[in-house]
Amino acid sequence: MNVLVINCGSSSLKYQLIDSASEKVLAKGLCERIGIDGSCITHSPEGGEKTTTESPMPTHTEAVKLVIEKLTDPDVGVISSLSEIGAVGHRVVHGGEKFAEAVVINDDVIKAIEECNDLAPLHNPANLIGIHSCQELMPGVPMVAVFDTAFHQTMPKKAYLYGLPYEYYEKYKVRRYGFHGTSHDYVSKRAAEILGRNRDDLKIIVCHLGNGASISAVDHGKCVDTSMGLTPLEGLIMGTRSGDLDPAIVSFIAEKEGLDAAGVVNVLNKKSGVLGLSGGISSDFRDVGAAADSGNEVAATALEAYAYRVAKYIGSYTAGMNGVDVIAFTAGVGENDKAMRAKIASYLGYLGTEIDDAKNDVRGEETVISKDGSKVTLMLVPTNEELAIARETVRLA
Ligand code: ADP
């Protein structure tokens, strides 16, 4: 069966068509600038050339229409008609406490996703528009929602409650939810498989280090803690997000800079993290790394602060699980940045593990990167959220 995986952002739509039997990507692409001038679709068929076409996309419905046109195009397409799409898997960011796993989409599910809108006001409405557009253009094709929050729903109360008045949890569901769940689930499972072990027998820490970054503790197959919170702002220092800080900083900066709370939170989301800490060099680790290598001390300190935060989380999750067997690195930075992996590993000697520089000299490949005989195994495990969504879609559809 061919599964179309859809990931809608507020002005973008990423897609992949995956043949579930071979798990091969038949085509993938991206619609950008939906709802604004200059919208374009970039389409890459397997083994073919990437093409970018400008085309008006006032809404996500036109974007989905274009995706279907590209997939069925006689030149750049990979299927001959819509009937070759057996199911659609939608990435949905926030499932609140309602969804602990993926579900087949029906009217009740749509209503429940809508009820989570105020927990993810930028993401869930866009995800819903994607669902509605696909339903309109592909009537009768089964659709599945795969939630970023679902894998973390096994966290115990002690991990997901904040030290706030309990009524805020009762009234508004203010709690830790966590994100990147599809990736944490996939990578922890894959890490165990690569080692020829069962995930249910292991204590695994997954470091998803992309532009957004989060870390999770997976104890015997279940997520027991994760660093992102009510929103993706909490936890690690990220590309542009601050991660953890003293909450009193919000009112302090608001007063000094003449901003309201939302204005400060915007700074914390978009102008902070490695971008802010490096004095504005870049949110991209390649640029900040290059600056550090050429002697820029502010850039070097930003990277050191980033690594230190990851190492502190590894320490706290090791305490939370009373041990750790495997630490897996994934996503853009985790898969590609050997210097950052080595920097983080330099804090982990107390665990009886040491990075192997030769094995760590690798990008984007499933590899053990710790020295033989290490008590804790360090690994690089590339994530594949689209494949994980396609698998869930096939399982349910
Ligand atoms: P997201 O999905 O959150 O947008 P990714 O997982 O794709 O992010 O990660 C993107 C980030 O990965 C980039 O911002 C960049 O900092 C980092 N990255 C990609 N390639 C490299 C590399 N070769 N060296 C260091 N960092 C890299």
Side-chain angles (χ1 to χ4, degrees):
M1 183 204 290
N2 294 328
V3 179
L4 179 61
V5 176
I6 296 277
N7 181 357
C8 272
S10 51
S11 66
S12 70
L13 183 159
K14 285 189 209 152
Y15 63 94
Q16 282 196 9
L17 186 69
I18 297 176
D19 169 12
S20 66
S22 64
E23 299 201 327
K24 269 203 174 143
V25 178
L26 303 177
K28 62 180 170 184
L30 167 67
C31 301
E32 289 172 283
R33 301 180 62 85
I34 299 170
I36 36 182
D37 284 351
S39 6
C40 60
I41 177 167
T42 304
H43 175 77
S44 315
E46 195 216 351
E49 256 182 51
K50 193 194 256 191
T51 54
T52 301
T53 322
E54 272 207 36
S55 185
M57 291 176 233
T59 71
H60 287 72
T61 306
E62 288 79 16
V64 174
K65 221 180 257 172
L66 271 174
V67 170
I68 295 169
E69 268 172 41
K70 289 287 175 195
L71 291 172
T72 55
D73 184 273
D75 294 328
V76 298
V78 290
I79 51 175
S80 49
S81 82
L82 245 186
S83 63
E84 289 177 47
I85 299 176
V88 182
H90 292 269
R91 176 192 181 213
V92 179
V93 167
H94 218 306
E97 288 188 327
K98 294 189 171 80
F99 299 104
E101 55 181 351
V103 284
V104 174
I105 297 172
N106 58 29
D107 290 348
D108 291 340
V109 167
I110 289 180
K111 213 191 278 158
I113 296 173
E114 274 165 6
E115 282 163 16
C116 299
N117 276 0
D118 63 345
L119 293 170
L122 295 179
H123 293 99
N124 271 30
N127 301 151
L128 282 163
I129 292 171
I131 291 171
H132 289 306
S133 303
C134 287
Q135 283 180 327
E136 191 183 323
L137 296 165
M138 291 181 253
V141 177
M143 314 247 167
V144 169
V146 181
F147 300 91
D148 251 33
T149 48
F151 180 60
H152 304 304
Q153 277 296 304
T154 49
M155 280 188 291
K157 267 196 165 171
K158 65 180 178 186
Y160 73 68
L161 285 180
Y162 290 115
L164 287 169
Y166 192 69
E167 63 184 276
Y168 294 159
Y169 170 60
E170 292 179 307
K171 281 200 284 190
Y172 310 123
K173 294 286 173 221
V174 172
R175 50 159 285 179
R176 175 184 311 288
Y177 291 96
F179 299 89
H180 295 137
T182 310
S183 176
H184 288 285
D185 185 18
Y186 174 88
V187 170
S188 54
K189 227 182 251 161
R190 198 62 209 127
E193 276 167 15
I194 295 163
L195 297 174
R197 302 283 304 274
N198 190 332
R199 184 171 71 166
D200 294 348
D201 298 329
L202 292 169
K203 297 173 182 181
I204 303 174
I205 293 175
V206 177
C207 307
H208 178 110
L209 312 178
N211 190 27
S214 67
I215 178 162
S216 69
V218 183
D219 193 353
H220 294 83
K222 287 208 165 84
C223 176
V224 292
D225 210 342
T226 191
S227 59
M228 283 179 166
L230 174 77
T231 77
L233 184 53
E234 192 182 351
L236 302 176
I237 294 171
M238 311 183 205
T240 63
R241 295 189 191 117
S242 63
D244 299 336
L245 43 74
D246 178 347
I249 289 173
V250 175
S251 55
F252 186 87
I253 297 292
E255 201 170 302
K256 296 280 181 202
E257 295 276 320
L259 295 167
D260 60 9
V264 179
V265 170
N266 190 47
V267 172
L268 301 182
N269 265 310
K270 297 192 177 148
K271 297 186 182 162
S272 302
V274 167
L275 170 69
L277 255 181
S278 68
I281 293 174
S282 174
S283 62
D284 193 307
F285 283 65
R286 286 163 287 201
D287 303 334
V288 183
D293 289 345
S294 60
N296 184 321
E297 274 183 35
V298 177
T301 306
L303 296 175
E304 204 55 62
Y306 179 92
Y308 179 60
R309 179 79 58 91
V310 175
K312 284 207 295 186
Y313 264 97
I314 290 173
S316 67
Y317 288 169
T318 302
M321 292 194 288
N322 189 22
V324 60
D325 300 305
V326 178
I327 299 169
F329 294 96
T330 195
V333 179
E335 291 170 27
N336 294 299
D337 192 340
K338 63 178 177 184
M340 182 52 75
R341 289 193 300 264
K343 216 184 272 292
I344 295 166
S346 72
Y347 289 96
L348 306 179
Y350 72 98
L351 289 173
T353 187
E354 203 180 330
I355 204 155
D356 184 315
D357 289 332
K359 293 187 200 164
N360 187 43
D361 190 7
V362 65
R363 282 180 58 183
E365 269 173 49
E366 295 180 337
T367 330
V368 171
I369 55 171
S370 48
K371 285 194 171 156
D372 292 348
S374 284
K375 272 199 225 154
V376 175
T377 306
L378 307 179
M379 300 179 76
L380 191 173
V381 181
T383 192
N384 194 338
E385 286 160 291
E386 290 79 12
L387 177 59
I389 291 173
R391 284 179 180 166
E392 282 293 88
T393 304
V394 171
R395 183 174 70 81
L396 292 163

